[in-house]
Amino acid sequence: MQFLIMTFLSPQDLCRLGGTSTYWRSMVRDPVLWKYFLFRDMPLWRSVDHLSVPQVKLTGSAVLDDSEMQFDYMAEYLRVCPACRNQWRHQPRAFESVTSFFQSFVPVSEPQFAMFGPGLEQLEVSLMNTIMYSPHILPIAGIPQRQIDGIGSGISFKYKDQHRFNIATLYSTNRTERERARLEHLNLRSKLFVYEEDSESNIPLSINPMFNQVCQAVNGFIFVANAETERERQQTDVGYIARPLPISFSSAYCPTLGWEMAEAMAYSLSLSLLYLGLLCGNGLVSARGSELFTPDPSRGPHFTGCRSREQETFRCWWSTGTFQNLTEPGALRVFYQTKNALEWQECPDYTRTVENECYFNKTFTHIWTSYCIQLRSVPQNITYDDTCFTVENIVHPDPPIGLNWTLLNVSRSGLHFDVLVRWAPPPSADVQMGWMSLVYQVQYRVKNASHWEMLDLESGTQQSLYGLHTDKEYEVRVRCKMLAFDNFGEFSDSIFVHVAQIPSKESTFPTTLVLIFGVIGVVILLVLLIFSQQQRLMVIFLPPIPAPKIKGIDPELLKNGKLDQLNSLLSSQDMYKPDFYHEDPWVEFIQLDLDDPAEKNESSDTQHLLGLSRSGSSHVLNFKSDDDSGRASCYDPELPNPEDLASLLPAHSGRGENHPLVSSSSPSIPDLGIQQTSEVEETPIQTQPAVHSWVNMDFYAQVSDFTPAGGVVLSPGQLNSSPEKKKEEENEKKIQLQLLSDGAYTSENTARQLDVPPSPGPEQGYHAFPTQAVEGNLWNGEYLVSAGDSQTPYLLPEAPPAPTLPPVSDYTVVQEVDAQHSLLLNPPSSQPALCPHTPNKHLPAMPTMPMGYLTPDLLGNLNP
Amino acid sequence: MSRSLKQVAVLLVALLCLDPHGRVGSAPICTHGPSGCHVPSLADLFDRVIQHSARMHSLSNDLHSEFEQYFLPSKNHIGKIYRKCHTSNILTPNGKENAQKLAREELTEVILKLLMAWRDPLFQLHQSMAHQQDFNSFSSNKALEMGDMAHELRKGVEKVAEKMRVLGMLGNSVTGLSAAEAMLPISDSGEAMSDYELLYCFRRDSNKVQNYLKILKCRIVPEHDC
């Protein structure tokens, strides 16, 4: 009853129960109970490692016999049970962490595990696929390139992004056969093992040598059982693993990850698998190493090989194996059979000098023919071994001879060198005729190193080795095989290649030095260049935006207020304070006009006055026109001009009717007119002063000139004097003059329209004007020149021609006006001039000179 | 008349060819002008066909080993299978000395026969490989390539034989090789052979052809170290 109850308890609880009293302690230790637990729980445990493999036979019987009574099932259970294991495993944690810390300094090669078993092969979706594509498992670092022939490859996993571990998969055979076997439920002969050749049984004899190599490389094995298959099938699985393993893994037992759904295992693969593999690994490999290489002692007499050196003859060798009674010659015989001769024949020639060798000379050697040979004991009529081959497939050429090397070159650093290795084909092989075509494989290694570097196959008899280190000695050897066949012959004798390290410091030092200095120099040069040519570089890289250039009279300059500069620098008329100018002169001018007629009426000299006034007005006009010209295209001034003209003309004609016109044109005029009339009497001199600008000064000066002119017609002296004055200002004014002339054109046009009716010869005036203008320009130019000194002579010659007139010209505008006026009124005046027109247009003046010229014609026209 | 002239010319050419320095001997044959035209000498032709046969052999070897890897558990079993290739009826010298003893005409004939016999089987091989999913297209392409190579090689050997005949080194006996005769061996092999067997046989035969060609060359153009 107690037992029954205890079976429902967990082992842990039982242990606690056992701790309560001695009675329970003895009760709890009952082997029957623990054996029950063991058998009940074991299939449920996820893993069993080699330390915890139960040492009991899984007999399955719950009844204990005497021997088993002695067995401590409790201890066994506790040792095996994973939960219990974990308990004691974690005990040494204190120092474990320290050791693992130290171990982390030791570079560990990637752990490798080999996975095999039916679980790998019998699943619909292969376990490897599940492992590779399941997200719950470790990321795959890669698939190794090396593939084991026909058996499989493997996967590299990454653990915690740092450590890699590799799992190689060992399949029993290739995929297509596996598929077929899975579908047809066949039992496969695993390629991992070598089976007894003729028997159909699946009992492996030994382990495949290829697998053998794998076993040496791996740290552990993982046996994958197939949990999908039914229970009895598991028994065969057990057999599968139990049979081969005791042979090779006697001392250690491989962990079985069985009895568990493959997928479930895959999920839990990550760490537990690693643990298991590591745990089982070491003991396993050590066990294997010793066992797998010992030759199978149980093997009887057998052939050890057949070889041909030159594809013309061949030899076969055999071993008596364990059968020591057959060692004496003649006890074993070799028989062979070819396609041509179907009956078995005995070996044509047993070599006397060599034990257990049969030699087939040229007559008995047929290439491309299947040979089958048997090893027989004739008296006992037992065939111990047989094998078949064709001669071309057993050709192992003799090693090449005459290996030597020549130094190709040494690197500049003196650290590396290249050599050319030469050899001669084996003398036995008929290479020249081509009966054998050989390819050679050169191998080299640092002397005493374990790893041979292998070069590609070479069909010639020389090959270069590149990049050898000067301080190391190399061992080089060559072997050969037939082209398109597999069997290599023996290696040739090694040669040693060594090139003493050349003291190359002298050579390397200067070059590096030169390099360094060169670089530094270039850098310095660059810096200098940049600093010195900064501007240019700036220009090159950042070209300046071209500043806008405005030609002619620039309002900009005006804005700047540098009028003086403007005047002097530019040869074109400038504007002088145009603002106030506009209005004032107008008014005055008009007033003058008004006055003039009045004066006319009043006095006989009115004309004179008129002239004066006109001259004044003309001056004003001139100024206005100047303004215009200064403003270039501006034509405000033009309008006044015509008006002026109108006013002037009437005045000139002496009609009072015109006054209203004028007044009407400028309403403001009348008011001012009164004031100015008084002024008018005082005359121009006063009126002029009203104007503030220096132009006024001119005017003033002109007026002064004028007055005499008006009075005396023309007084050279005064004229002369006036020119002088003028000249002073004229430097500045000449520009004005030009402008005036320009203005004259414009005014001309207007004048035409307005003047036509009143003035009889406006046209002539017009005609005259252009010339005048030209002349004026010339004159101006001369003037300028005179001012500039350089062209004074020019002026001089012109001056002389018209002694009387020149002064007028000198007077420029004013004089002209005067002259005109005077002309009109007083013929004596030398310059009939253009009459009213001219003044209107631009009286100003300069035209004086031209006037002088023209005067005759105009006079003629006007006077009548 | 013209025939005798031709023969004379051929004799002359042959003499020239036999000259120790005689690779230039082929120059007179060239009708397009003495300078620009280079007709390969017999030795060159031989070199070409030999190279071609070597390539063919290594190709067959590659394919054969692929087959082995996929379909045969271990190499030990190869020898056990007693194979009868469809070319077994063609009597071939099976050793260096035998081959050397054989007349040039016979050797040439053997080579041509072997190559002829492989024309159709190689085509069949390609067909069957193309229809099997086990092979990637690479392998079946190899089979196709092999067939082409065998064809070209046959053409090349025929050309060489023709030239040898022109040069008077070969009797006319080889000319009797008709297509029907060459096809005979194929019709003999009644049962279909597996791809693997075909490959095995072809690998062996291509090796044969290669070696025969070498021996033939050595005998025809002896100045090359033979």
Side-chain angles (χ1 to χ4, degrees):
Chain A
M1 193 59 173
Q2 285 171 348
F3 274 121
L4 186 63
I5 293 167
M6 279 194 285
T7 54
F8 291 113
L9 292 175
S10 72
Q12 284 83 2
D13 294 335
L14 277 180
C15 291
R16 290 197 197 102
L17 181 64
T20 51
S21 70
T22 47
Y23 168 74
W24 281 112
R25 182 184 173 88
S26 63
M27 288 296 290
V28 154
R29 293 178 72 91
D30 189 303
V32 179
L33 183 67
W34 284 103
K35 186 180 180 185
Y36 166 76
F37 279 131
L38 191 62
F39 283 99
R40 185 195 65 179
D41 292 345
M42 200 153 74
L44 302 178
W45 292 336
R46 289 170 81 87
S47 62
V48 181
D49 65 24
H50 72 286
L51 293 176
S52 57
V53 168
Q55 292 172 2
V56 287
K57 287 180 187 165
L58 301 176
T59 53
S61 68
V63 185
L64 299 178
D65 48 15
D66 292 342
S67 63
E68 285 181 323
M69 287 302 285
Q70 317 303 325
F71 197 78
D72 189 355
Y73 275 97
M74 183 185 179
E76 187 72 11
Y77 183 92
L78 291 179
R79 186 176 64 81
V80 171
C81 152
C84 316
R85 251 191 299 146
N86 286 340
Q87 280 174 4
W88 58 256
R89 180 183 290 156
H90 288 166
Q91 281 168 3
R93 183 160 271 200
F95 72 86
E96 198 175 47
S97 61
V98 178
T99 51
S100 69
F101 173 72
F102 282 119
Q103 274 174 354
S104 66
F105 290 105
V106 183
V108 183
S109 62
E110 298 168 7
Q112 308 209 9
F113 306 97
M115 201 151 70
F116 69 102
L120 265 185
E121 305 174 5
Q122 291 168 353
L123 293 180
E124 189 100 23
V125 178
S126 92
L127 177 65
M128 292 314 286
N129 277 346
T130 320
I131 291 176
M132 283 169 71
Y133 300 118
S134 167
H136 305 277
I137 308 178
L138 296 180
I140 291 168
I143 293 174
Q145 289 303 312
R146 265 186 315 160
Q147 302 229 341
I148 304 157
D149 179 48
I151 298 182
S153 62
I155 310 177
S156 293
F157 288 101
K158 248 190 182 159
Y159 177 56
K160 287 184 178 173
D161 284 336
Q162 292 176 348
H163 314 290
R164 290 163 68 109
F165 69 92
N166 306 307
I167 293 182
T169 51
L170 302 174
Y171 293 112
S172 56
T173 177
N174 61 56
R175 173 179 294 187
T176 39
E177 289 204 18
R178 267 184 280 133
E179 287 287 309
R180 206 182 59 207
R182 188 173 59 79
L183 295 176
E184 299 169 8
H185 296 286
L186 289 179
N187 272 331
L188 276 180
R189 282 182 163 195
S190 175
K191 275 182 131 184
L192 298 180
F193 307 105
V194 176
Y195 296 91
E196 225 168 289
E197 304 247 341
D198 46 1
S199 73
E200 276 303 315
S201 75
N202 277 340
I203 301 165
L205 282 177
S206 64
I207 288 180
N208 187 317
M210 221 153 21
F211 180 45
N212 203 352
Q213 291 174 356
V214 175
C215 291
Q216 285 177 283
V218 297
N219 302 96
F221 288 90
I222 301 161
F223 178 79
V224 185
N226 182 8
E228 281 184 347
T229 48
E230 50 281 69
R231 191 73 190 174
E232 57 267 33
R233 182 108 186 175
Q234 287 182 9
Q235 296 306 315
T236 66
D237 288 345
V238 175
Y240 186 97
I241 195 172
R243 207 165 295 128
L245 288 182
I247 301 172
S248 49
F249 318 138
S250 54
S251 70
Y253 203 80
C254 216
T256 57
L257 289 178
W259 331 140
E260 191 175 6
M261 293 298 284
E263 278 78 12
M265 192 213 72
Y267 286 119
S268 67
L269 183 78
S270 56
L271 199 56
S272 59
L273 183 114
L274 186 63
Y275 263 116
L276 291 170
L278 274 174
L279 285 171
C280 94
N282 293 328
L284 189 74
V285 169
S286 62
R288 299 193 46 72
S290 58
E291 293 215 13
L292 289 177
F293 283 116
T294 53
D296 186 359
S298 64
R299 186 111 190 250
H302 58 279
F303 285 111
T304 52
C306 290
R307 285 190 178 197
S308 167
R309 291 159 59 214
E310 69 293 84
Q311 209 179 2
E312 292 170 48
T313 63
F314 70 94
R315 295 161 197 271
C316 287
W317 300 273
W318 69 90
S319 153
T320 54
T322 51
F323 288 55
Q324 296 301 321
N325 55 339
L326 296 175
T327 48
E328 75 271 12
L332 286 172
R333 292 187 181 184
V334 174
F335 287 83
Y336 74 95
Q337 178 202 41
T338 64
K339 182 191 69 179
N340 301 333
L342 286 177
E343 71 275 16
W344 290 92
Q345 294 171 322
E346 193 165 0
C347 168
D349 183 7
Y350 292 102
T351 315
R352 304 286 163 97
T353 53
V354 184
E355 226 178 39
N356 300 341
E357 183 188 274
C358 174
Y359 175 63
F360 293 79
N361 63 18
K362 290 186 183 179
T363 49
F364 292 98
T365 304
H366 307 304
I367 323 290
W368 308 297
T369 304
S370 289
Y371 277 84
C372 283
I373 53 173
Q374 287 185 339
L375 192 61
R376 294 185 193 163
S377 164
V378 176
Q380 297 165 337
N381 201 15
I382 297 173
T383 300
Y384 288 104
D385 195 9
D386 65 342
T387 183
C388 292
F389 55 86
T390 56
V391 175
E392 75 268 17
N393 284 321
I394 57 163
V395 175
H396 293 70
D398 280 344
I401 57 167
L403 209 58
N404 63 38
W405 62 279
T406 50
L407 186 66
L408 282 181
N409 58 40
V410 180
S411 72
R412 293 184 70 184
S413 62
L415 295 176
H416 301 277
F417 66 98
D418 310 326
V419 297
L420 181 68
V421 178
R422 299 170 200 271
W423 58 89
S428 61
D430 183 5
V431 176
Q432 249 169 0
M433 196 190 75
W435 188 246
M436 290 172 73
S437 20
L438 299 180
V439 288
Y440 304 89
Q441 186 185 50
V442 179
Q443 294 188 353
Y444 69 96
R445 65 173 179 185
V446 177
K447 195 180 176 185
N448 296 330
S450 58
H451 177 63
W452 286 93
E453 295 287 340
M454 232 175 289
L455 298 182
D456 289 338
L457 290 176
E458 168 68 44
S459 55
T461 58
Q462 62 180 33
Q463 198 162 24
S464 307
L465 304 182
Y466 296 112
L468 303 177
H469 294 271
T470 44
D471 52 343
K472 292 174 184 167
E473 186 171 13
Y474 287 89
E475 185 180 356
V476 183
R477 61 182 187 182
V478 185
R479 62 176 177 174
C480 57
K481 66 165 191 167
M482 289 231 297
L483 180 65
F485 287 94
D486 301 331
N487 300 320
F488 277 105
E490 297 291 318
F491 279 107
S492 68
D493 295 334
S494 292
I495 55 165
F496 293 92
V497 176
H498 181 66
V499 171
Q501 189 160 19
I502 297 165
S504 56
K505 291 208 170 169
E506 299 91 39
S507 64
T508 56
F509 181 63
T511 54
T512 51
L513 210 68
V514 164
L515 256 180
I516 289 167
F517 275 108
V519 167
I520 290 174
V522 165
V523 167
I524 289 173
L525 262 175
L526 269 178
V527 169
L528 280 178
L529 203 83
I530 287 170
F531 275 105
S532 63
Q533 303 293 338
Q534 208 168 12
Q535 298 285 347
R536 281 192 196 173
L537 287 177
M538 283 286 285
V539 170
I540 289 171
F541 291 114
L542 305 169
I545 300 165
K549 289 179 181 176
I550 300 174
K551 285 211 169 185
I553 307 104
D554 333 30
E556 293 184 1
L557 277 179
L558 272 176
K559 285 174 189 172
N560 292 340
K562 297 174 180 177
L563 286 176
D564 294 350
Q565 289 182 4
L566 232 187
N567 292 332
S568 60
L569 288 176
L570 300 178
S571 61
S572 60
Q573 275 286 27
D574 298 346
M575 45 236 13
Y576 333 63
K577 312 151 190 188
D579 303 67
F580 31 93
Y581 230 47
H582 270 294
E583 304 175 43
D584 291 347
W586 270 56
V587 176
E588 286 175 358
F589 158 71
I590 291 164
Q591 285 173 350
L592 281 176
D593 282 351
L594 289 175
D595 289 344
D596 289 339
E599 280 183 355
K600 273 187 189 173
N601 298 332
E602 290 173 1
S603 62
S604 61
D605 280 346
T606 44
Q607 291 187 344
H608 208 334
L609 280 173
L610 236 182
L612 284 178
S613 69
R614 274 183 186 170
S615 71
S617 67
S618 72
H619 283 294
V620 174
L621 280 174
N622 287 340
F623 294 126
K624 284 186 175 178
S625 67
D626 287 354
D627 293 346
D628 299 342
S629 63
R631 299 212 165 176
S633 61
C634 142
Y635 64 92
D636 287 344
E638 288 178 357
L639 287 175
N641 280 344
E643 290 177 359
D644 295 343
L645 263 177
S647 63
L648 284 173
L649 287 174
H652 159 66
S653 61
R655 298 171 189 171
E657 307 165 355
N658 288 339
H659 298 294
L661 247 178
V662 176
S663 62
S664 67
S665 66
S666 56
S668 63
I669 294 172
D671 306 334
L672 300 171
I674 301 168
Q675 298 172 346
Q676 290 185 351
T677 48
S678 59
E679 291 175 1
V680 169
E681 291 175 354
E682 294 168 8
T683 350
I685 308 171
Q686 293 181 347
T687 53
Q688 253 78 16
V691 186
H692 304 286
S693 69
W694 57 270
V695 177
N696 290 339
M697 293 301 293
D698 281 349
F699 187 65
Y700 192 76
Q702 289 171 349
V703 171
S704 66
D705 295 339
F706 157 88
T707 41
V712 191
V713 180
L714 286 175
S715 60
Q718 288 183 351
L719 287 172
N720 289 338
S721 67
S722 68
E724 292 173 357
K725 292 180 184 175
K726 279 207 167 179
K727 278 184 181 176
E728 299 170 1
E729 300 174 352
E730 215 86 12
N731 291 338
E732 301 172 353
K733 273 197 174 181
K734 36 195 164 159
I735 304 166
Q736 268 190 336
L737 297 177
Q738 291 178 348
L739 291 176
L740 287 175
S741 66
D742 295 341
Y745 284 107
T746 54
S747 59
E748 257 189 317
N749 300 331
T750 53
R752 266 193 207 170
Q753 302 167 348
L754 295 172
D755 297 343
V756 173
S759 66
E763 298 214 349
Q764 293 154 358
Y766 281 136
H767 293 296
F769 266 117
T771 53
Q772 282 181 354
V774 174
E775 297 279 356
N777 288 339
L778 288 173
W779 176 253
N780 294 336
E782 289 170 2
Y783 235 133
L784 272 172
V785 173
S786 64
D789 301 343
S790 64
Q791 286 189 354
T792 34
Y794 208 87
L795 209 167
L796 293 175
E798 277 201 351
T804 50
L805 295 176
V808 178
S809 66
D810 288 348
Y811 282 102
T812 65
V813 192
V814 181
Q815 280 187 350
E816 283 177 5
V817 176
D818 293 342
Q820 292 161 1
H821 291 294
S822 64
L823 269 175
L824 286 176
L825 296 176
N826 308 331
S829 69
S830 61
Q831 295 182 347
L834 311 177
C835 345
H837 306 298
T838 47
N840 294 338
K841 297 168 186 169
H842 53 90
L843 348 140
M846 320 331 355
T848 40
M849 276 301 290
M851 308 267 265
Y853 279 110
L854 294 172
T855 35
D857 303 337
L858 292 175
L859 262 178
N861 293 330
L862 293 173
N863 287 338
Chain B
M1 213 25 211
S2 64
R3 196 176 178 83
S4 65
L5 271 177
K6 215 175 190 176
Q7 280 180 347
V8 169
V10 163
L11 269 177
L12 274 176
V13 166
L15 281 174
L16 278 169
C17 281
L18 290 173
D19 184 85
H21 312 288
R23 286 214 199 172
V24 267
S26 57
I29 300 175
C30 176
T31 55
H32 299 291
S35 60
C37 155
H38 171 70
V39 170
S41 69
L42 201 55
D44 287 340
L45 286 180
F46 262 117
D47 284 340
R48 287 184 197 177
V49 291
I50 287 168
Q51 275 179 18
H52 208 78
S53 67
R55 274 204 297 275
M56 194 172 74
H57 178 229
S58 45
L59 203 59
S60 67
N61 185 56
D62 289 348
L63 208 51
H64 180 257
S65 47
E66 264 177 53
F67 251 83
E68 269 183 355
Q69 197 174 342
Y70 278 107
F71 293 105
L72 284 173
S74 111
K75 275 192 177 175
N76 294 337
H77 298 259
I78 299 171
K80 275 192 176 172
I81 306 164
Y82 183 74
R83 286 192 190 78
K84 191 175 172 77
C85 296
H86 71 277
T87 52
S88 306
N89 298 358
I90 303 172
L91 217 56
T92 56
N94 49 12
K96 184 179 162 189
E97 290 188 341
N98 289 340
Q100 279 171 329
K101 268 183 247 167
L102 218 61
R104 283 182 270 193
E105 291 82 5
E106 286 173 296
L107 205 53
T108 315
E109 199 173 345
V110 162
I111 295 168
L112 283 174
K113 268 185 186 171
L114 280 177
L115 289 172
M116 277 294 250
W118 274 107
R119 196 179 60 186
D120 286 348
L122 282 178
F123 179 70
Q124 289 164 10
L125 180 68
H126 168 62
Q127 291 292 323
S128 76
M129 282 178 79
H131 288 115
Q132 281 187 40
Q133 282 114 9
D134 290 329
F135 298 104
N136 43 22
S137 58
F138 187 60
S139 292
S140 75
N141 280 345
K142 266 186 188 170
L144 181 65
E145 194 182 344
M146 240 160 43
D148 291 344
M149 285 182 93
H151 177 70
E152 283 170 25
L153 186 61
R154 186 167 54 84
K155 287 271 177 72
V157 174
E158 277 171 1
K159 224 164 247 175
V160 171
E162 180 67 25
K163 188 155 189 175
M164 284 192 294
R165 213 173 302 128
V166 167
L167 296 179
M169 295 168 165
L170 217 58
N172 285 333
S173 61
V174 190
T175 53
L177 183 72
S178 67
E181 190 184 346
M183 295 299 278
L184 267 180
I186 301 173
S187 59
D188 275 353
S189 64
E191 78 274 16
M193 296 195 298
S194 74
D195 288 346
Y196 178 77
E197 283 171 326
L198 267 179
L199 261 180
Y200 176 85
C201 291
F202 183 66
R203 172 166 169 258
R204 202 181 62 182
D205 283 346
S206 63
N207 191 23
K208 274 184 193 174
V209 166
Q210 186 189 351
N211 279 11
Y212 294 158
L213 278 174
K214 282 175 181 173
I215 284 179
L216 191 61
K217 182 201 165 191
C218 264
R219 295 179 60 187
I220 300 277
V221 200
E223 63 263 29
H224 287 277
D225 311 320
C226 301

